[in-house]
Amino acid sequence: MENNITYLLCMNEEGLLLYEESINRLIESNCKDFMVYKLVDGNRNYQTDIDIWQVEIEINEQFYSMLHLNLCQKFRPISKP
């Protein structure tokens, strides 16, 4: 049985304004006002913070991967030399 997978981009006002310009604008910015989610069969049970966002847009797997990597890079600790 194959699972139905949905990818979501959730954001608030700052993230939405950048996304409306382009996905590249959002990625290139310092904005952390968004999150991406991978839902299997629509299950939101394990996404405890999904409801804090103002806007929810369904995206494809490629955009999900790009934005997930971008968030990881933005939130990773800066190493000191």
Side-chain angles (χ1 to χ4, degrees):
M1 183 170 147
E2 191 172 318
N3 292 324
N4 181 23
I5 298 175
T6 304
Y7 301 94
L8 296 178
L9 166 59
C10 298
M11 59 201 134
N12 290 325
E13 186 175 352
E14 181 185 1
L16 178 60
L17 290 172
L18 292 165
Y19 177 77
E20 286 177 337
E21 288 182 40
S22 76
I23 194 164
N24 288 331
R25 180 79 173 98
L26 178 60
I27 288 171
E28 292 167 358
S29 74
N30 291 327
C31 178
K32 299 175 186 172
D33 195 25
F34 67 97
M35 182 57 69
V36 290
Y37 298 93
K38 178 180 179 179
L39 303 179
V40 178
D41 294 332
N43 187 351
R44 294 173 178 247
N45 292 340
Y46 300 105
Q47 310 297 335
T48 57
D49 62 345
I50 199 169
D51 294 328
I52 65 169
W53 304 100
Q54 296 171 341
V55 178
E56 181 178 296
I57 298 174
E58 191 170 328
I59 57 175
N60 63 33
E61 184 178 7
Q62 179 185 3
F63 283 160
Y64 168 84
S65 297
M66 289 170 52
L67 292 169
H68 185 271
L69 176 61
N70 183 252
L71 283 168
C72 290
Q73 292 169 342
K74 287 178 179 178
F75 281 102
R76 76 171 178 234
I78 299 171
S79 15
K80 297 181 181 177

